[in-house]
Amino acid sequence: MRYFSISQMSEKWGISQRRIRTLCMEGRIEGAFKMGAYWSIPEDAEKPKDERIKSGRYVKER
């Protein structure tokens, strides 16, 4: 299996390198692992759904 770097996945998925790094740290990219200071992401990994709040309103669940 081939692994891609964060910069390669950034080009493939069309999102920033910082966002991919955050997704890796949160464990939302399946199969991604850290090798020293670099993340390795499987080439067949799927782009996670963006679950950030985009409405500008934070809805607090009670």
Side-chain angles (χ1 to χ4, degrees):
M1 180 182 295
R2 289 184 54 196
Y3 290 91
F4 289 148
S5 67
I6 287 179
S7 60
Q8 292 169 324
M9 291 308 281
S10 174
E11 290 177 20
K12 181 179 177 182
W13 288 344
I15 57 178
S16 71
Q17 293 180 19
R18 181 66 187 152
R19 183 68 185 144
I20 295 175
R21 198 171 290 112
T22 301
L23 292 170
C24 289
M25 286 188 286
E26 292 175 349
R28 294 188 45 210
I29 300 177
E30 192 172 327
F33 64 94
K34 197 164 187 182
M35 223 165 66
Y38 302 99
W39 283 95
S40 296
I41 305 168
E43 67 179 339
D44 60 349
E46 293 186 20
K47 179 181 174 182
K49 182 181 172 190
D50 191 357
E51 297 177 351
R52 295 178 291 177
I53 298 171
K54 295 182 180 173
S55 66
R57 292 188 221 161
Y58 177 73
V59 180
K60 185 176 181 180
E61 294 181 20
R62 294 182 184 201

